[in-house]
Amino acid sequence: MNRLRTALYGAGAFLLALLALLAALAAPAQGRAAAGWQAVPPPAPAGLSAYVPFDATSAVARSTVQTSTTCLPCEYEHTLWTRQAGAWRSLPLPAAGVPTDVLTGTAPNDVWALGRGEWGDFGQYHWDGSRWTDRTVPDFEVLAARAVSRTDVWAVGNYRESAGDVPGAVAHWNGSAWTLTKLGEPGAWTNIRAVHVVSADDVWVVGSGGGRLYAAHYDGGSWQEVALPRLSGLSATANAVTVRDGEVWIGGTDRNIYTDSGTPRAFVLRGNGTDWRTTYVPVPAPTGDASEDRMSVQALAVHDGTVWAGLYAERAKDRGLARWNGSAWETAPAPGTTPGSEVTALYPTADGTLWANGLHYPRDYLKGYAASLAPSA
């Protein structure tokens, strides 16, 4: 009996050692995919389809599970969470079918859920720690939002005032009410997809309208459209904007069906509001297949003085990040754990940490992750 126990103990120890060895062998691959990044432990197996950090240990987030077996159309179940002192707590939905696709806020008791609801209606809701309050501006579709403080929230998107005239829209929350401003060329459909707040008198928004890139700047008193260069493509969209030392960086997708074989290219403009320079993020090992080589810039942020770009790229490339080295873009794997992970959002926080949020492949299931990159010593 003692010999049997010894043999079983030895077999168990061998099995544990083997598992540890396999984990060690797998670790380098994961390290390459997320070098320097620390994964945020998700509250649910579906991961984090959205993650907005407030500081090192608090955030608002969303998990998403596809409930339909087909996508005619796709159906999803969303769960909201707040992270407080590193611990997860579920957050009730504002109501059935209301939008949760755009999240922002400044604290677990100051959360905004905005966007398009399940039935195609638009809404904006605020959570004060105990209940949701409907703060909806009718017909305002929010595509992005940024909360600076409880009395300083910016939301951007478009305003559906009629079937033929859909201007871009910016709304500002002052703590008690929204002030909405319509932007863009009259008669043209304008989508504003990103906002960056430098200060109360220095706000940038970007998107597309009338078949071209669109940008506008707020100086504290009024909005002024900013002329951007036409790129090589016939259909270009700006998805992201940030500012570093007074220089504006705008990123998105450029597509020319005549000269690029229809392959969307990831571009970044950088300039002072008047003069602009255009750079493209290279596709690692291009195949020449438009469906494989397509890339786009989805997010921009400054970390350690360096501009980082979050990318959508096909799974064969396994590239979700790029950083500007002073003369060119260097691509790097996304901090997700599967090949083909993308970076949907980048958030720098006051302590110098950079946070990334994105989706794993296949992105149709909206299974996501979040990770943080500490500032250099």
Side-chain angles (χ1 to χ4, degrees):
M1 181 62 70
N2 289 335
R3 290 180 179 178
L4 178 60
R5 289 175 179 171
T6 301
L8 291 174
Y9 178 83
F14 173 77
L15 180 59
L16 291 175
L18 179 60
L19 291 174
L21 176 61
L22 292 174
L25 291 173
Q30 292 183 353
R32 286 193 299 271
W37 291 86
Q38 299 297 315
V40 175
L48 298 164
S49 57
Y51 186 88
V52 180
F54 306 137
D55 54 39
T57 60
S58 66
V60 61
R62 181 186 64 239
S63 296
T64 302
V65 176
Q66 182 174 328
T67 57
S68 59
T69 56
T70 61
C71 279
L72 300 171
C74 297
E75 296 179 0
Y76 300 99
E77 181 178 273
H78 304 290
T79 304
L80 295 183
W81 308 88
T82 58
R83 192 180 184 212
Q84 305 176 44
W88 290 104
R89 298 181 183 179
S90 62
L91 184 65
L93 295 174
V98 303
T100 61
D101 46 328
V102 177
L103 299 175
T104 192
T106 64
N109 62 353
D110 179 32
V111 173
W112 289 88
L114 319 94
R116 179 198 290 264
E118 292 180 8
W119 299 293
D121 52 335
F122 311 125
Q124 304 93 43
Y125 296 82
H126 180 256
W127 172 258
D128 63 4
S130 59
R131 66 187 180 92
W132 288 98
T133 302
D134 188 345
R135 302 293 189 185
T136 296
V137 176
D139 302 320
F140 176 37
E141 180 181 17
V142 177
L143 300 178
R146 173 73 171 93
V148 180
S149 70
R150 295 176 185 270
T151 60
D152 188 11
V153 183
W154 297 85
V156 301
N158 59 65
Y159 187 72
R160 305 294 183 89
E161 60 184 355
S162 69
D165 189 10
V166 182
V170 178
H172 180 249
W173 175 261
N174 63 7
S176 59
W178 290 104
T179 299
L180 184 132
T181 304
K182 300 173 188 177
L183 300 175
E185 182 181 345
W189 188 309
T190 302
N191 277 326
I192 300 178
R193 298 182 177 276
V195 55
H196 182 77
V197 183
V198 180
S199 64
D201 58 358
D202 190 2
V203 181
W204 285 84
V205 299
V206 299
S208 62
R212 58 186 177 87
L213 297 176
Y214 180 85
H217 178 255
Y218 180 69
D219 61 7
S222 63
W223 287 95
Q224 298 294 327
E225 182 175 345
V226 176
L228 297 178
R230 283 192 176 271
L231 303 182
S232 63
L234 300 177
S235 178
T237 300
N239 304 317
V241 59
T242 193
V243 177
R244 185 188 68 172
D245 298 330
E247 187 176 45
V248 184
W249 298 65
I250 299 172
T253 308
D254 180 27
R255 184 171 185 239
N256 190 326
I257 61 175
Y258 296 110
T259 61
D260 300 332
S261 300
T263 302
R265 297 197 293 169
F267 77 86
V268 177
L269 299 175
R270 49 188 292 233
N272 57 12
T274 302
D275 298 319
W276 299 93
R277 284 172 285 177
T278 306
T279 56
Y280 288 90
V281 181
V283 176
T287 66
D289 183 339
S291 64
E292 288 291 317
D293 293 341
R294 58 178 177 169
M295 289 178 61
S296 66
V297 174
Q298 300 191 119
L300 289 168
V302 179
H303 175 66
D304 279 344
T306 298
V307 178
W308 289 68
L311 305 174
Y312 169 84
E314 278 304 306
R315 60 188 182 278
K317 302 297 170 285
D318 192 19
R319 291 294 184 271
L321 284 169
R323 50 182 170 260
W324 181 252
N325 65 12
S327 59
W329 291 99
E330 298 176 346
T331 56
T337 58
T338 63
S341 296
E342 63 179 286
V343 175
T344 306
L346 292 170
Y347 301 99
T349 48
D351 63 355
T353 302
L354 180 64
W355 300 79
N357 175 225
L359 300 176
H360 297 304
Y361 178 83
R363 72 191 308 269
D364 295 342
Y365 295 108
L366 300 185
K367 293 185 176 180
Y369 67 90
S372 64
L373 182 63
S376 59

